Amino acid sequence: MTSENILIGAHTSAAGGVHRALLEGKQIGATTIQFFTSNQKQWKGRQFTSDDLAIWQRTLQETGLQHLMSHDSYLINLGCPNAENLEKSRKAFQEEVIRCVQLGVNYLNFHPGASLGEDVQKCLDCIIESLLLIKPLVEQGKTRLLLEATAGQGSSVGHRFEQLAYIIQGVQDHIPIGVCIDTCHIFVAGYDIRTAEAWDQTLKEFDKVVGLSHLYAFHVNDSMKDLGSRVDRHAELGEGKIGWSSFQFLMTDPRTRHLPKYLETPGGPAFWEKEIQKLKGFV
């Protein structure tokens, strides 16, 4: 694998049209991107016109980006104990799946959910039930759903590998499913990834509990907060508690180097361009 064909990018802006996320990705030297298909802070989702889809396809061909990933709305909670908000979440998630199928994106990344102080097991079972509802929709396209490993902040679930494994076991025979590891999240959730040795142990645990065959992508972020703090605060690469050695490992280890990686660091496009170049330099 060379630096030219590695899959590395960032969460780029779709303001003014989803095709603009592709253009920003190209400008920063990315080979892949993550983006929002609709406003992530509103329940009412964007609906694409035929012109929107035509511009998207044309721009996709022009930029040559691959392994694109959508991130769903921050409002969605597929394990919500409140019936009204659960219904709104399920409807919004179903609409997100439809947009992903229309665009032909490879992955839809989503936070599993939050128990909001109620029973965690009921939350996990509710997430499974919510995901099974979208089987007819995902069958229409090629999009794989990726559970994002969370920081465990508040009442969010998905910060333990066992919880991710439980959800996967409940849906894997019905829908395409997988995991996206966020480096900041798993670090503050208690999984050490600061050195090659630490990464090796964490990946072995992930393989034992979930299975490396279910690992499809990474969010690449340093952390402002300490190991096990369960506080989600992203930092620029090398400027946080994780450090560059961790990200060099990700770019070179045979278990992880081929997987798509998306920056969500706080610096924005100018910093992403530099971070992408440094990450490519490790290859």
Side-chain angles (χ1 to χ4, degrees):
M1 179 173 285
T2 67
S3 61
E4 286 73 28
N5 58 17
I6 62 171
L7 294 166
I8 183 74
H11 186 114
T12 53
S13 173
V18 285
H19 69 286
R20 294 190 177 276
L22 298 169
L23 295 173
E24 183 172 270
K26 190 68 174 178
Q27 288 170 357
I28 61 173
T31 53
T32 184
I33 60 163
Q34 177 182 265
F35 65 106
F36 293 121
T37 66
S38 188
N39 190 315
Q40 75 277 19
K41 296 180 181 179
Q42 294 182 3
W43 285 112
K44 184 175 177 58
R46 172 186 285 166
Q47 292 186 334
F48 296 134
T49 66
S50 57
D51 285 344
D52 292 332
L53 297 176
I55 294 172
W56 166 266
Q57 289 298 333
R58 184 168 66 249
T59 309
L60 182 60
Q61 290 184 348
E62 291 171 353
T63 58
L65 300 182
Q66 303 177 52
H67 289 269
L68 308 183
M69 183 153 79
S70 165
H71 193 305
D72 77 333
S73 167
Y74 293 137
L75 299 176
I76 294 173
N77 180 3
L78 297 180
C80 186
N82 177 278
E84 181 180 352
N85 286 336
L86 176 62
E87 182 60 31
K88 289 169 70 175
S89 293
R90 287 175 169 175
K91 183 175 185 294
F93 192 73
Q94 290 166 8
E95 291 175 353
E96 175 64 27
V97 172
I98 291 172
R99 289 192 293 271
C100 287
V101 168
Q102 288 177 323
L103 296 175
V105 300
N106 299 84
Y107 306 117
L108 166 52
N109 175 82
F110 66 102
H111 298 178
S115 65
L116 303 180
E118 301 296 325
D119 184 71
V120 171
Q121 186 60 50
K122 287 184 179 179
C123 178
L124 294 172
D125 289 333
C126 184
I127 292 167
I128 290 172
E129 183 180 301
S130 297
L131 291 174
L132 292 176
L133 292 173
I134 52 89
K135 180 182 179 182
L137 299 177
V138 292
E139 288 178 339
Q140 298 176 28
K142 64 178 184 179
T143 303
R144 179 176 295 274
L145 309 182
L146 298 187
L147 294 156
E148 180 172 348
T150 67
Q153 187 165 294
S155 64
S156 66
V157 300
H159 63 289
R160 303 305 303 169
F161 292 162
E162 289 80 6
Q163 293 176 344
L164 297 173
Y166 182 81
I167 296 171
I168 288 172
Q169 290 164 8
V171 303
Q172 64 181 346
D173 293 335
H174 306 280
I175 61 173
I177 194 73
V179 173
C180 173
I181 285 181
D182 184 305
T183 53
C184 172
H185 291 179
I186 66 166
F187 178 71
V188 298
Y191 297 99
D192 196 358
I193 56 171
R194 289 172 290 191
T195 65
E197 293 76 18
W199 253 122
D200 184 60
Q201 289 303 310
T202 293
L203 287 176
K204 284 178 178 176
E205 183 172 353
F206 183 92
D207 192 32
K208 179 181 178 181
V209 176
V210 183
L212 283 172
S213 62
H214 293 299
L215 179 58
Y216 282 86
F218 285 94
H219 286 164
V220 183
N221 304 297
D222 213 321
S223 173
M224 293 176 61
K225 301 299 181 178
D226 289 317
L227 175 69
S229 64
R230 291 178 64 171
V231 179
D232 180 14
R233 296 291 185 275
H234 296 185
E236 293 162 15
L237 301 190
E239 298 297 321
K241 304 290 187 178
I242 299 176
W244 275 112
S245 294
S246 175
F247 306 115
Q248 181 175 5
F249 175 92
L250 272 187
M251 299 303 297
T252 55
D253 189 84
R255 291 165 291 185
T256 58
R257 63 188 181 190
H258 62 290
L259 296 174
K261 301 170 182 71
Y262 310 88
L263 292 162
E264 295 177 327
T265 48
F271 283 86
W272 296 336
E273 186 172 5
K274 296 175 182 177
E275 288 172 332
I276 287 171
Q277 289 307 310
K278 184 153 186 176
L279 290 170
K280 286 181 176 181
F282 289 135
V283 178

